[in-house]
Amino acid sequence: MQHRLANLLNAQKSTGPRSSEGKAKSATNSTKHGLQAQPSTLFAALPDQHASFEALRLQLFAQCLPDGAAELEAFERYAFNLFQSRRARSFEIDAFSRFSNEPNSEPLLRSLDRIVQIASQLERRADRALNELRKLQADRCLAADVQNEMYLFEQQVPVPASLPLAQLRRSHHAVRLAAMLLTLDPPVQQLFADLRQRQ
């Protein structure tokens, strides 16, 4: 009982860092390679990587041209995961080099295997984010087309950015879509719900 009470009293004293500088420093304590870290943690632990990331980000931004909050969020995920996957591949090359010098080393083999898994995971995340960005951009372009079509009918209908227009245009609902947008028919919401269930 006394031992338990002593532990509780000691736990009250060790509450961790209290200043923002101390908290920032302790957040990077276990960062080895930072391949699974959030951007803020990675750049706090490895500030030299921030400039490399920003250079890649600016280059990709000029190519992708995201517009709006949803596209920007998908773009940021794409840029960071692509940056991390490139870093992971350089760690993989280094780990393979070390393993080839000591082919019987079990720890080096495990390390190499883990880095290969992380690199593959980061590449898949980057691919998913890029595909999401492409879908959002296609929908944005089609939304402009729909708004132009509505303008011809002297109608102004706001088209939400989350509307899966590319998918609707390819489906048998394309003709119904124009009619529903013109009349603002309540079944539009049911159509959207059907499409979301199929995804």
Side-chain angles (χ1 to χ4, degrees):
M1 186 70 170
Q2 286 181 331
H3 186 62
R4 191 175 218 187
L5 183 59
N7 283 344
L8 286 172
L9 291 173
N10 282 335
Q12 295 294 323
K13 295 177 187 176
S14 58
T15 58
R18 294 177 188 212
S19 69
S20 57
E21 296 86 23
K23 289 178 182 179
K25 188 173 191 293
S26 70
T28 63
N29 280 348
S30 67
T31 304
K32 292 183 177 116
H33 47 63
L35 292 176
Q36 294 180 305
Q38 295 297 319
S40 57
T41 306
L42 174 69
F43 300 135
L46 306 167
D48 57 313
Q49 295 294 313
H50 195 259
S52 300
F53 170 68
E54 279 303 316
L56 175 66
R57 186 185 171 284
L58 290 174
Q59 185 180 26
L60 293 172
F61 192 90
Q63 292 175 353
C64 295
L65 299 173
D67 184 38
E71 287 181 25
L72 191 58
E73 184 179 330
F75 169 77
E76 292 294 345
R77 277 187 280 118
Y78 167 61
F80 185 68
N81 284 302
L82 181 63
F83 173 74
Q84 288 286 70
S85 71
R86 289 180 177 183
R87 289 184 63 239
R89 289 303 176 194
S90 68
F91 280 111
E92 181 183 342
I93 291 167
D94 181 54
F96 183 76
S97 174
R98 285 185 286 126
F99 178 71
S100 61
N101 291 335
E102 295 180 52
N104 296 328
S105 172
E106 189 68 30
L108 288 178
L109 178 61
R110 282 194 306 271
S111 174
L112 175 62
D113 185 48
R114 182 70 182 136
I115 289 174
V116 168
Q117 287 176 355
I118 292 171
S120 297
Q121 182 183 51
L122 289 166
E123 287 170 353
R124 285 191 303 272
R125 285 181 186 167
D127 288 344
R128 279 195 307 267
L130 181 59
N131 286 335
E132 183 181 338
L133 176 62
R134 286 177 176 158
K135 285 178 186 174
L136 289 167
Q137 289 177 326
D139 288 342
R140 176 171 40 100
C141 291
L142 286 172
D145 285 347
V146 168
Q147 287 174 342
N148 288 339
E149 291 169 14
M150 296 298 108
Y151 180 75
L152 292 175
F153 292 108
E154 297 178 357
Q155 298 280 329
Q156 287 190 330
V157 178
V159 180
S162 59
L163 183 66
L165 287 174
Q167 191 176 2
L168 283 170
R169 288 280 177 141
R170 287 191 303 266
S171 73
H172 65 280
H173 300 293
V175 176
R176 286 181 56 206
L177 172 66
M180 286 185 222
L181 284 174
L182 275 174
T183 61
L184 295 176
D185 198 5
V188 173
Q189 294 170 352
Q190 182 59 44
L191 179 63
F192 298 153
D194 293 345
L195 285 169
R196 286 193 189 103
Q197 286 177 350
R198 288 187 207 153
Q199 291 179 347

